[in-house]
Amino acid sequence: MKRTDYLCMVLVAALLFALPLEAAKKKGKAAKTAPAASTTSGPKKCAQLDEEFKRKVSDLKEKWRMNDAGPERALEETERTLTDMDKNGGTKLRKYADELEVQKKQDLETAKRDYEKALAQFAKKDDGAKRTFEMEADRHRRKIADLERQKAEAQKEAQRLEEVRGKLEHERSMEEQRLLSEFEKVKMAAEDENRKYRKQVEDEYQKKFDELNAKLGEWDVKEAEKKKETEGFDRQIEEFAMQTAQKLDTFQQDIEKRRAEAQAKFKDAELEKAEMELDMALAKESQRLNAEVEKFRKERLEKKKDKELQVKEFLATKEEFRKRNDRLIQLAQQYRDSQLEKKKAEETKAQERWNTDKKRRDEQYERRVQMEYRSKMDALIKKQDKIALDIENEKNALMTREANFKLQTETKEAAIDSEKARIEERYKKAVSKINDKYDRMEVEEKQTQELVHDQLEEKRDSLIATREKNKADRQELLYKMKDDYEAQKSSCVK
């Protein structure tokens, strides 16, 4: 399989991993929707509210964990592919260039053999000019062969330097993995302790909050009792008035009974007198009972007024207590927030220390690579460039001698020289075509590798950005759910 086909397969795999990412994004958006408010009437019990809140948070976190599984796998696969390309891409590219160089050399040698075979038919064994030419040509060829040997040795040295760089990269990678593993262990332990601490702080705050609200609830009970006492006076007045009305009704019935007896017993003036006495007795009794009702009403209203004054004074005292209670809750909240911010600052400082240490290690590694690899490789590249130039000069000199030889024999063998010129031109084109072919193949391989690497980096950055955004959105959602929960907590019943 060609290397370009292999890199294309890597790119296709990377794009396929993007599909779980899009699905995860959609699921993440769905997870951001806040749970629907309860439609049950009346305040909930606190235990029920606590259980519902814990269950909602647990379900939501489980859903997020499932949603993140696909994108996390895609990110890990992308990171592994990029790491492999960063670690082995240069080596593979150089290996590919070496393979091309071997094939190119074989093609050049084949073209040269074909060229020499075509010229061999024109050789003159007894031609002194030809023998002189061949001696000079051999000298150039030996020089070219020696330069090619130096070029091969330089290539081996370049390969050795690449192995040095690979070793440095491997050592650095292993050390970074070890340090990162240690840092992650410490970080996870610190995060676990911080979670416990945050829970402890939250529990202490909640306990204080519940205690203060319980005291406020006691005041509410007392307020209800006192208001109930003021409501009893109106009821007493009403009941007393009804009892008095019943007495008056009983008295009136007795008067009517006596009126009937008088009507049966008396007539005319005596009857009128008897009825007048009865009416006066009824009016007097009615006036007496009304006076009792009015007296009772005034007494009850006076006591009610005293009770209402006591309630008013109680409410003022309660309001002062409520203000103090709210202030204590606010202070508890401020203390809780300050402790959580302190822990958060500690985590930030630990991460900053890690980043600083990593930057220092990176700089040390770059200095070591510069000293052990880049400076030597730069010198070697200059040497290779000089060898290539010398080879080109020797080849040009050889070609010049060949041209001169052809000119010397031109008058004698015009036809042969013409044929040699055609063979020479065909050889040059073959050499040029071979060089262009392999140069183009090497450039295309490098461009393909860089394109795949850039696309993988864009995908990795997109996955990381999506993960961080999901984390922020989910944290915001949890804060909102907690705020809703605390708002309902204030109105729940034990």
Side-chain angles (χ1 to χ4, degrees):
M1 182 185 293
K2 294 183 178 179
R3 289 181 59 81
T4 53
D5 295 338
Y6 166 74
L7 292 174
C8 289
M9 291 179 67
V10 173
L11 177 59
V12 170
L15 294 176
L16 289 175
F17 271 101
L19 297 177
L21 171 62
E22 295 300 323
K25 287 180 179 179
K26 294 178 181 179
K27 291 181 179 179
K29 291 180 179 179
K32 293 177 183 176
T33 305
S38 175
T39 57
T40 57
S41 60
K44 292 184 178 180
K45 292 186 177 181
C46 294
Q48 179 187 359
L49 184 62
D50 293 343
E51 185 64 25
E52 289 179 356
F53 176 74
K54 293 177 181 176
R55 186 177 65 256
K56 289 177 182 177
V57 171
S58 177
D59 293 346
L60 196 57
K61 289 184 176 180
E62 178 62 21
K63 183 184 294 183
W64 289 341
R65 185 188 66 77
M66 295 177 65
N67 290 345
D68 290 341
E72 285 299 326
R73 286 195 298 271
L75 179 58
E76 291 174 0
E77 183 63 25
T78 303
E79 289 287 0
R80 282 196 296 270
T81 304
L82 282 171
T83 300
D84 180 71
M85 293 186 72
D86 291 338
K87 182 178 179 180
N88 302 318
T91 302
K92 291 178 180 178
L93 187 60
R94 286 185 294 277
K95 182 179 178 181
Y96 181 69
D98 293 339
E99 293 172 356
L100 291 180
E101 186 64 28
V102 173
Q103 296 175 12
K104 175 182 175 182
K105 187 175 181 180
Q106 292 174 354
D107 290 349
L108 288 172
E109 290 175 353
T110 299
K112 185 177 180 181
R113 284 195 301 271
D114 293 340
Y115 163 69
E116 291 174 348
K117 183 178 179 181
L119 291 177
Q121 59 181 316
F122 304 110
K124 303 289 185 178
K125 293 184 179 179
D126 298 329
D127 190 342
K130 183 173 178 61
R131 287 195 297 272
T132 301
F133 163 72
E134 289 296 341
M135 290 176 60
E136 293 297 326
D138 286 342
R139 183 176 63 81
H140 287 299
R141 293 187 188 104
R142 287 193 299 272
K143 182 64 175 178
I144 292 172
D146 183 63
L147 290 171
E148 290 290 351
R149 179 185 58 76
Q150 295 180 34
K151 179 181 178 182
E153 291 177 353
Q155 289 175 342
K156 289 181 179 180
E157 177 64 14
Q159 183 176 0
R160 188 191 69 79
L161 289 176
E162 290 299 336
E163 291 175 354
V164 169
R165 187 175 73 89
K167 182 180 179 181
L168 292 176
E169 288 182 350
H170 178 71
E171 291 176 354
R172 180 203 182 198
S173 177
M174 296 299 292
E175 180 66 10
E176 283 298 313
Q177 291 179 7
R178 183 185 68 79
L179 293 174
L180 181 60
S181 177
E182 294 176 357
F183 174 74
E184 289 296 333
K185 289 180 181 179
V186 174
K187 183 178 178 181
M188 290 177 64
E191 288 176 351
D192 185 58
E193 289 297 324
N194 289 344
R195 281 193 295 272
K196 294 179 181 178
Y197 182 78
R198 282 193 289 270
K199 185 178 184 305
Q200 178 184 349
V201 171
E202 289 290 349
D203 290 345
E204 291 176 355
Y205 164 74
Q206 191 61 47
K207 180 180 179 182
K208 187 68 175 178
F209 181 84
D210 293 342
E211 291 176 353
L212 295 173
N213 276 322
K215 292 180 180 179
L216 188 60
E218 294 175 359
W219 283 83
D220 291 338
V221 172
K222 292 180 181 180
E223 178 183 351
E225 292 176 352
K226 289 186 175 295
K227 287 184 177 180
K228 185 176 181 181
E229 291 178 358
T230 60
E231 294 171 356
F233 289 104
D234 293 333
R235 188 172 57 256
Q236 292 174 8
I237 293 173
E238 183 178 353
E239 290 175 355
F240 185 80
M242 290 180 64
Q243 293 173 0
T244 304
Q246 290 177 356
K247 291 180 180 180
L248 180 61
D249 183 64
T250 300
F251 186 80
Q252 185 174 3
Q253 290 177 5
D254 182 66
I255 291 295
E256 293 302 323
K257 181 179 179 181
R258 290 165 60 187
R259 188 188 303 278
E261 292 175 353
Q263 288 176 351
K265 184 178 180 180
F266 301 109
K267 292 182 179 180
D268 299 333
E270 292 180 349
L271 179 58
E272 182 178 354
K273 179 180 179 183
E275 288 182 343
M276 183 178 295
E277 290 176 351
L278 291 173
D279 290 338
M280 290 180 64
L282 179 60
K284 184 177 180 182
E285 183 63 16
S286 176
Q287 183 178 9
R288 184 184 69 80
L289 292 175
N290 285 334
E292 288 181 357
V293 170
E294 182 64 19
K295 179 180 178 182
F296 184 81
R297 187 181 68 83
K298 289 181 178 180
E299 291 175 352
R300 295 292 92 185
L301 289 178
E302 285 294 328
K303 290 185 177 182
K304 179 182 178 182
K305 184 176 180 181
D306 293 339
K307 285 293 183 180
E308 287 177 342
L309 181 61
Q310 293 176 8
V311 170
K312 184 176 180 181
E313 293 174 350
F314 174 81
L315 291 176
T317 304
K318 178 187 173 184
E319 180 63 18
E320 290 296 324
F321 174 79
R322 187 191 63 78
K323 290 180 179 178
R324 291 195 305 272
N325 202 47
D326 290 346
R327 179 57 181 164
L328 290 174
I329 291 175
Q330 182 182 10
L331 291 174
Q333 291 173 339
Q334 292 174 353
Y335 175 76
R336 176 200 62 187
D337 294 342
S338 66
Q339 295 303 305
L340 295 180
E341 286 297 327
K342 181 179 178 181
K343 286 295 180 182
K344 184 177 180 181
E346 292 175 356
E347 293 176 355
T348 302
K349 288 182 179 179
Q351 186 63 52
E352 288 175 351
R353 286 195 299 271
W354 164 260
N355 294 338
T356 301
D357 291 342
K358 187 177 186 304
K359 181 179 179 182
R360 175 181 53 78
R361 291 194 301 273
D362 291 342
E363 291 173 350
Q364 291 176 347
Y365 170 75
E366 287 300 322
R367 288 193 296 271
R368 187 178 178 189
V369 170
Q370 178 63 32
M371 179 177 62
E372 299 183 23
Y373 169 74
R374 290 199 187 98
S375 60
K376 296 180 180 179
M377 181 59 79
D378 291 343
L380 184 61
I381 290 174
K382 291 180 181 178
K383 180 179 179 181
Q384 288 176 316
D385 291 341
K386 185 179 184 303
I387 292 174
L389 180 60
D390 291 342
I391 291 174
E392 186 67 23
N393 290 336
E394 289 296 326
K395 287 182 178 180
N396 291 336
L398 176 60
M399 293 172 66
T400 300
R401 287 195 175 276
E402 290 172 346
N404 292 335
F405 176 73
K406 287 194 297 181
L407 288 174
Q408 291 174 7
T409 59
E410 195 173 40
T411 57
K412 297 179 181 179
E413 303 176 10
I416 295 176
D417 289 342
S418 177
E419 182 63 13
K420 286 183 178 180
R422 187 182 65 80
I423 294 172
E424 183 73 15
E425 184 63 21
R426 185 175 62 192
Y427 173 68
K428 290 180 180 179
K429 288 183 178 180
V431 170
S432 178
K433 186 176 180 180
I434 291 171
N435 288 330
D436 292 341
K437 172 187 174 182
Y438 287 101
D439 290 344
R440 184 175 63 256
M441 289 176 67
E442 184 174 355
V443 170
E444 289 176 352
E445 177 68 13
K446 183 177 181 181
Q447 290 175 345
T448 301
Q449 192 176 46
E450 290 174 349
L451 175 61
V452 171
H453 190 276
D454 292 342
Q455 291 174 339
L456 287 173
E457 282 187 335
E458 290 177 2
K459 179 175 178 293
R460 177 195 62 192
D461 295 340
S462 175
L463 286 168
I464 293 174
T466 300
R467 180 178 66 186
E468 294 303 318
K469 184 176 184 302
N470 286 343
K471 185 184 294 183
D473 293 342
R474 291 168 181 177
Q475 189 62 49
E476 181 180 355
L477 177 59
L478 289 175
Y479 285 150
K480 183 177 183 304
M481 289 176 62
K482 186 174 181 298
D483 292 340
D484 294 341
Y485 159 73
E486 291 182 348
Q488 297 180 48
K489 188 78 174 178
S490 63
S491 59
C492 67
V493 296
K494 297 295 184 179

